[in-house]
Each structure stands twice: as structure tokens, then as C-alpha cells.
């Protein structure tokens, strides 16, 4: 747990992003591949968007190059694994 960085998107983070083109917001939770559950917004840290979001902070942009074409997302809100853990106590 001590290896998980503070203040940036990493494993266990819940991140709200805004699609630069569509202007729509989406909330993702970054998880390991075996924990993926698209219906709950749990995406793999090794997926294209997961990789693009890693180590980003609020206000940063992430560029994703999925098969459907290039997308740009802005990190609007971030709740890291550590912050989520603190709120559950």
C-alpha cells in the first residue's frame, strides 16, 4: 500500500474525467485487470484510458488512442486510494 502514490491517479483511484469533444463526465475507478467491471466503471490500469490517466492530477489532460480514434479527457476530480481508505474509517 505504501507504494501507491498520493495525489495522482493510481491503483484504487476514483477519477472523474470530462471528454474534451463530447463534454460528458464519466467516473472511473482504476483497478487491476482481474478486478474490471465495466458496469461499475472499474477500468484496468493497463487499458488505454487507464494508462493515459496514470500519474495525472486534477486539471491534467490525458490523451487516449483507442481503436475508435484519439480522445482527450481532462481530470476534473480525483479521490486516491489513500483518501478513499481514510473516508471509510
Amino acid at each position: 500500500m505504501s507504494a501507491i502514490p498520493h495525489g495522482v491517479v493510481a491503483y484504487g483511484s476514483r477519477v472523474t474525467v470530462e471528454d474534451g469533444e463530447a463534454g460528458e463526465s464519466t467516473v472511473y475507478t482504476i483497478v487491476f485487470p482481474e478486478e474490471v467491471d465495466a458496469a461499475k466503471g472499474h477500468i484496468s490500469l493497463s487499458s488505454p484510458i487507464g494508462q493515459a490517466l496514470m500519474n495525472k492530477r486534477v486539471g491534467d489532460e490525458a490523451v487516449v488512442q483507442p481503436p475508435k480514434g484519439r480522445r482527450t479527457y481532462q481530470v476534473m476530480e480525483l479521490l486516491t486510494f489513500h483518501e478513499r481508505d481514510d473516508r471509510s474509517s
Side-chain angles (χ1 to χ4, degrees), residues 13-17 25-29 38 40-43 77:
S13 293
R14 185 169 50 229
V15 58
T16 303
V17 298
S25 292
T26 306
V27 178
Y28 295 113
T29 299
K40 292 182 179 178
H42 295 184
I43 62 167
E77 294 180 29

Side-chain angles (χ1 to χ4, degrees), residues 28-50:
Y28 295 113
T29 299
I30 308 298
V31 297
F32 291 124
E34 60 272 12
E35 300 172 296
V36 168
D37 185 339
K40 292 182 179 178
H42 295 184
I43 62 167
S44 171
L45 51 83
S46 62
S47 68
I49 191 166

Side-chain angles (χ1 to χ4, degrees), residues 1-16 27-31 53-58 60 75-89:
M1 219 167 89
S2 62
I4 299 173
H6 293 263
V8 296
V9 177
Y11 171 77
S13 293
R14 185 169 50 229
V15 58
T16 303
V27 178
Y28 295 113
T29 299
I30 308 298
V31 297
L53 289 171
M54 294 301 287
N55 297 308
K56 300 292 189 217
R57 298 178 183 277
V58 172
D60 287 351
V75 177
M76 305 303 289
E77 294 180 29
L78 173 63
L79 191 61
T80 68
F81 177 85
H82 304 287
E83 294 165 332
R84 292 180 66 206
D85 189 49
D86 290 346
R87 288 183 179 195
S88 65
S89 27

